[in-house]
Amino acid sequence: MPIAQKCDLHPESGENSCMNCGVKALSLLKDLTFEELELINIDRRMELFAPGEKIFEEGTTSRGLYCLKTGKVKIVRSGLLENDPIVALKKPVDFIGLKALVLEKNHASTAIALEPCSICLIERDHFLQVVQNNNDLSLKVMQLLSKELEEADQRMVDLTQKHLRGRMADALLLLLNRYGTTSDNKTLDIQMKRADMAALANMTQANAIRILSDFSKENLLEIEKREIKILQLERLQKISQLG
């Protein structure tokens, strides 16, 4: 198992501070005052994770709020299949572990890096202090949690009611919507193992390999190792709609 590379950052370390964060404008923290950013910057630290490394594990105590600065992360839950199902995908500058922090409960899922990641760990009490005194941020947090719950509910319905082809089409469209494409506007900007594709579509790895092969033979996809190019987006969307 890879070992996390961790680097403690001084609160006033220039570009590494919350006040001067280069991706802050894309996050929920974009409208905070300088003083509020200073508060959440206290005791904040950046942690680096290698692909496959666990950021936190299901059942463990929340250490604070994780803000994904660079990289991609999968959120998995314990399941009955050979691969634990992937319940969410994270990209910069998403928050990770927000529900456990707000509810003051242990993590209900495990967060794992899909590629090299840099994550800012914000101290829990400082973040909640800002939330309690900032109505706008409090509303944004509630809206985010509500959106995540709505998306989780819809995915649960799709994964239990759709056939295997529909579920795999959903998985591919989710990757497309979440991570986009490379410069050719067709190749997914994420390389996923077949086991991860199976976990995302809630099926066995053997079924995932078979359906991806079928999609490739039908000229819906072009697959080269872990790279997936979507050739016929409308047909893939139709398969998803038909379930």
Side-chain angles (χ1 to χ4, degrees):
M1 180 177 179
I3 299 175
Q5 305 175 52
K6 298 181 176 64
C7 54
D8 295 318
L9 300 177
H10 190 276
E12 297 179 359
S13 55
E15 293 183 357
N16 289 324
S17 71
C18 291
M19 296 79 77
N20 298 309
C21 177
V23 298
K24 180 187 70 214
L26 303 175
S27 80
L28 291 185
L29 308 180
K30 64 179 181 179
D31 295 321
L32 296 189
T33 66
F34 187 86
E35 290 73 19
E36 289 171 328
L37 290 171
E38 278 188 316
L39 178 57
I40 66 171
N41 194 61
I42 297 174
D43 296 328
R44 177 193 57 84
R45 49 184 282 164
M46 181 176 286
E47 300 185 352
L48 308 179
F49 295 87
E53 191 168 9
K54 293 179 181 179
I55 298 160
F56 56 74
E57 196 164 1
E58 185 175 338
T60 59
T61 302
S62 172
R63 295 195 294 137
L65 180 65
Y66 299 80
C67 182
L68 180 58
K69 189 171 184 180
T70 61
K72 300 177 178 73
V73 170
K74 63 179 179 179
I75 309 298
V76 304
R77 293 284 295 269
S78 297
L80 300 177
L81 295 179
E82 58 187 354
N83 300 304
D84 291 338
I86 296 175
V87 297
L89 297 167
K90 300 293 184 178
K91 64 179 182 180
V93 286
D94 287 344
F95 287 154
I96 306 174
L98 179 60
K99 184 168 64 174
L101 182 147
V102 171
L103 295 178
E104 299 184 9
K105 292 186 175 181
N106 291 345
H107 291 292
S109 56
T110 299
I112 304 174
L114 286 168
E115 61 184 38
C117 294
S118 61
I119 295 178
C120 286
L121 178 57
I122 299 172
E123 205 276 334
R124 175 186 178 278
D125 291 341
H126 294 148
F127 176 74
L128 290 181
Q129 184 177 337
V130 173
V131 171
Q132 290 167 359
N133 293 298
N134 185 318
N135 292 333
D136 184 56
L137 179 59
S138 179
L139 177 61
K140 288 180 180 178
V141 168
M142 288 190 293
Q143 290 173 334
L144 176 60
L145 290 173
S146 297
K147 179 182 178 183
E148 289 181 349
L149 179 60
E150 182 180 27
E151 291 175 349
D153 286 345
Q154 185 59 53
R155 266 185 55 76
M156 182 178 68
V157 171
D158 291 341
L159 290 175
T160 54
Q161 295 187 356
K162 290 189 177 183
H163 298 294
L164 294 179
R165 284 173 60 89
R167 293 189 339 234
M168 180 55 73
D170 282 351
L172 291 164
L173 293 173
L174 177 60
L175 291 172
L176 175 62
N177 293 331
R178 198 70 182 134
Y179 297 130
T181 60
T182 60
S183 57
D184 66 1
N185 295 321
K186 292 183 178 180
T187 304
L188 295 176
D189 193 19
I190 176 68
Q191 295 190 11
M192 299 280 282
K193 299 177 181 178
R194 294 297 182 268
D196 282 336
M197 291 301 301
L200 190 60
N202 195 33
M203 62 182 67
T204 65
Q205 187 171 336
N207 279 331
I209 292 172
R210 176 176 59 81
I211 294 171
L212 286 171
S213 177
D214 289 344
F215 282 178
S216 180
K217 292 175 182 177
E218 296 167 25
N219 206 34
L220 292 171
L221 308 174
E222 183 178 302
I223 302 175
E224 180 65 31
K225 295 182 179 179
R226 294 184 185 177
E227 286 191 353
I228 298 178
K229 181 183 294 187
I230 297 178
L231 302 178
Q232 298 190 55
L233 178 57
E234 290 185 0
R235 282 189 61 194
L236 198 63
Q237 291 170 332
K238 188 68 174 180
I239 293 172
S240 170
Q241 291 169 3
L242 293 175

